[in-house]
Amino acid sequence: MAFPNSQPFRTAALLLFFLAASITQAQSHWVGSWAASQQLPEPNNSLPPDDLRDATLRQLVHLSLGGKELRVHLSNRFGPAPLHFTSVHVARPVSSVSAMIVAQSDKTLTFSGRPEVIVPAGADYISDPVAFPVAALSDLAITIHVDTPPSAQTGHPGSRATSYLVHGEATSAADLPNAKKVEHWYFIAGVDVAAPAQAASVVALGDSITDGHGATTDGNNRWPDVLAKRLQSGRTTQTIGVLNEGIGGNRLLLDGLGPNALARFDHDVLAQAGVHVLIVLEGVNDIGTLARTGEVPRAEHDALVHRILAAYEQIIARAHVHGIKVIGATILPFVGSQFYHPGPSSEHDRQTVNLWIRTPKHFDAVIDFDKITRDPEHPDQLRVAFDSGDHLHPSPAGYAAMAAGVPLSLFASK
């Protein structure tokens, strides 16, 4: 039997849905478990447009914190036009090196109750919460389908994880045979979990050393990954998530392969769910770039150092407004790097910056990554056992040493 004037009933039902969703959101304490900094991928890291025409893309991420519910952040931050996601699913992957998922775990994500979403140009979008229990340090498969390729892609080239691409709608498929494999992430920016009230997240803001250049593909052995594992082993730190907001080539002051650290600060730090600690490891690319193609006058070095320290002050001030504790990490040695060819003046800049970082009352605390990774006999160089081979980026052993040197007492209480 049809009801007369059914439009008011539909309107009332819609209002009830949004009210119920609002109550659920208010009752949940959301904390970031995984994140990736978004950028406009350079041409060699972008997918050909036809690859994203009627395409399914399955991407695996490694969570730091577990929970009974989750929500996923999609991103069209660098897209100049709205982007239509026709379907988004989550599932448990069979392994970290395969496109296969546990079929019975597959769930459709919704956005304001609908299984599709149009993300505006330049925007991020958070899914509705879904009951999907995940363990700390587990992997999650996020599978998206797009019908029309965007004119500009948003993503994270330095995924150090394999993604799988096929044509057609296959978001719930148990496997994606013959998929195209790429070592990049696209359109996914974060995963939050519903966590206990005392839970919180730590943001690692950095460059390729935080992003994990030199780490093992699909190995999840960047220093923030190893730190997350250590936090889970501590009785008082098991409710702490770690969010890797590193971008290869990133600088404090100028754009590079991604936006400069000050420009991306609001998105990558302040907007993260449950963040209460920030670790800053930035500056080596600013120092290295200054004299990369030839030495410059001392006055230019001094001016750069001044601007780097001023940028740190900006980060500290902006974080403190939001009650975020800021930990400064000293810049690792990089003499011998064939990319930057640092000379005595650049090494002097690094030492000056590190002295400021170590000086009390600047940062709230300090992690001395320089001391942890340097060669005792040649302190301007990485220890051989910790060097990936390019004398700039640590090896997996170096990343493990960095994480091992972080005092867990820095995160034990909110």
Side-chain angles (χ1 to χ4, degrees):
M1 177 179 177
F3 288 97
N5 301 318
S6 58
Q7 180 60 39
F9 288 95
R10 289 194 294 269
T11 302
L14 188 61
L15 289 173
L16 285 173
F17 168 80
F18 280 112
L19 178 60
S22 297
I23 292 172
T24 300
Q25 293 275 14
Q27 290 175 341
S28 298
H29 174 58
W30 294 104
V31 176
S33 180
W34 171 84
S37 298
Q38 301 301 291
Q39 60 189 96
L40 179 68
E42 56 273 23
N44 62 316
N45 287 327
S46 297
L47 291 169
D50 281 345
D51 277 5
L52 288 173
R53 192 178 307 280
D54 183 24
T56 295
L57 183 60
R58 179 163 292 164
Q59 306 177 90
L60 274 58
V61 303
H62 189 64
L63 305 178
S64 58
L65 190 64
K68 294 182 179 180
E69 292 180 282
L70 62 80
R71 60 186 191 180
V72 172
H73 295 237
L74 302 179
S75 185
N76 186 30
R77 201 175 302 167
F78 293 90
L83 178 59
H84 184 203
F85 294 89
T86 65
S87 183
V88 183
H89 285 224
V90 291
R92 293 185 183 86
V94 170
S95 77
S96 63
V97 295
S98 167
M100 295 180 65
I101 60 170
V102 179
Q104 59 268 33
S105 72
D106 180 75
K107 284 198 174 183
T108 302
L109 294 183
T110 60
F111 302 84
S112 298
R114 295 184 176 181
E116 62 178 336
V117 63
I118 297 175
V119 181
D124 289 3
Y125 220 98
I126 305 174
S127 75
D128 299 333
V130 62
F132 193 97
V134 290
L137 308 178
S138 65
D139 294 326
L140 179 71
I142 305 170
T143 309
I144 63 175
H145 178 264
V146 292
D147 49 5
T148 304
S151 59
Q153 297 165 24
T154 296
H156 186 83
S159 66
R160 272 92 207 177
T162 305
S163 300
Y164 305 88
L165 176 72
V166 298
H167 287 289
E169 216 299 356
T171 49
S172 61
D175 194 10
L176 302 177
N178 304 314
K180 177 177 181 176
K181 298 178 181 180
V182 291
E183 290 184 20
H184 313 297
W185 286 313
Y186 300 95
F187 312 119
I188 55 173
V191 177
D192 302 333
V193 296
Q198 72 273 22
S201 61
V202 176
V203 170
L205 183 70
D207 48 45
S208 55
I209 294 173
T210 296
D211 201 22
H213 185 98
T216 307
T217 299
D218 300 320
N220 298 309
N221 54 8
R222 317 162 189 82
W223 74 260
D225 296 323
V226 184
L227 175 59
K229 188 174 182 179
R230 286 192 65 217
L231 289 167
Q232 286 301 311
S233 69
R235 184 177 59 84
T236 61
T237 56
Q238 292 177 341
T239 56
I240 306 295
V242 179
L243 305 179
N244 188 332
E245 298 287 2
I247 292 180
N250 199 232
R251 287 179 279 180
L252 285 159
L253 304 172
L254 296 173
D255 291 352
L257 299 182
N260 67 77
L262 291 181
R264 65 189 181 95
F265 185 81
D266 287 5
H267 274 301
D268 291 354
V269 180
L270 300 184
Q272 301 306 311
V275 58
H276 85 283
V277 174
L278 168 64
I279 301 173
V280 181
L281 178 56
E282 287 267 10
V284 69
N285 293 314
D286 297 82
I287 294 171
T289 301
L290 179 66
R292 182 185 176 194
T293 59
E295 193 49 86
V296 299
R298 182 68 246 170
E300 292 189 35
H301 284 275
D302 292 342
L304 175 68
V305 169
H306 176 80
R307 293 185 65 211
I308 288 173
L309 302 185
Y312 288 154
E313 291 177 332
Q314 287 289 306
I315 288 172
I316 293 166
R318 289 165 66 179
H320 282 176
V321 167
H322 295 269
I324 298 171
K325 177 180 180 179
V326 189
I327 301 171
T330 52
I331 300 172
L332 282 61
F334 67 117
V335 163
S337 162
Q338 296 306 300
F339 187 74
Y340 283 132
H341 311 282
S345 293
S346 294
E347 174 61 12
H348 180 270
D349 296 344
R350 187 182 73 91
Q351 294 288 354
T352 302
V353 170
N354 281 348
L355 177 62
W356 190 93
I357 292 171
R358 294 184 182 107
T359 300
K361 297 184 179 180
H362 288 156
F363 285 98
D364 299 312
V366 176
I367 300 170
D368 203 340
F369 283 148
D370 169 38
K371 183 177 180 180
I372 292 167
T373 60
R374 70 193 181 204
D375 185 335
E377 301 298 321
H378 305 280
D380 59 357
Q381 300 175 27
L382 285 172
R383 189 188 296 255
V384 173
F386 296 162
D387 191 341
S388 67
D390 66 5
H391 313 305
L392 174 64
H393 300 96
S395 62
Y399 287 133
M402 290 170 67
V406 178
L408 296 190
S409 58
L410 294 174
F411 318 109
S413 60
K414 190 170 179 179

